[in-house]
Amino acid sequence: MATDDENNQAESLAQVTVSDKPVVTRLTSPTSGTSVGLGKNVQLAAQATSITGSISNVDFFVNGSLIATDTTSPYAVN
């Protein structure tokens, strides 16, 4: 909540997820519900954080098969 010198107030809310897992990942691209045509290239991107250390790499899998590994943030592959 913010209040100015005329007592006007405004607030902004944000949903935050807190995790106690040692590593947390989130696929950021493509977004949920995106359709990709057969044979078309698509960029995969992810965010990764570690509670106790740093992220050394992010592996990207498609249908259970490893397709790429990225070792630098922002983590992404085409």
Side-chain angles (χ1 to χ4, degrees), residues 3-67:
T3 305
D4 68 11
D5 59 354
E6 295 177 352
N7 272 344
N8 296 307
Q9 295 181 335
E11 66 180 335
S12 180
L13 304 175
Q15 181 176 349
V16 177
T17 302
V18 178
S19 173
D20 62 352
K21 295 180 181 177
V23 175
V24 177
T25 59
R26 183 173 74 90
L27 189 65
T28 58
S29 177
T31 57
S32 180
T34 299
S35 295
V36 178
L38 183 63
K40 300 292 184 180
N41 288 333
V42 62
Q43 182 184 51
L44 301 177
Q47 292 178 335
T49 57
S50 173
I51 291 176
T52 59
S54 59
I55 301 296
S56 60
N57 66 286
V58 171
D59 294 330
F60 291 91
F61 292 84
V62 173
N63 295 328
S65 296
L66 178 66
I67 61 158

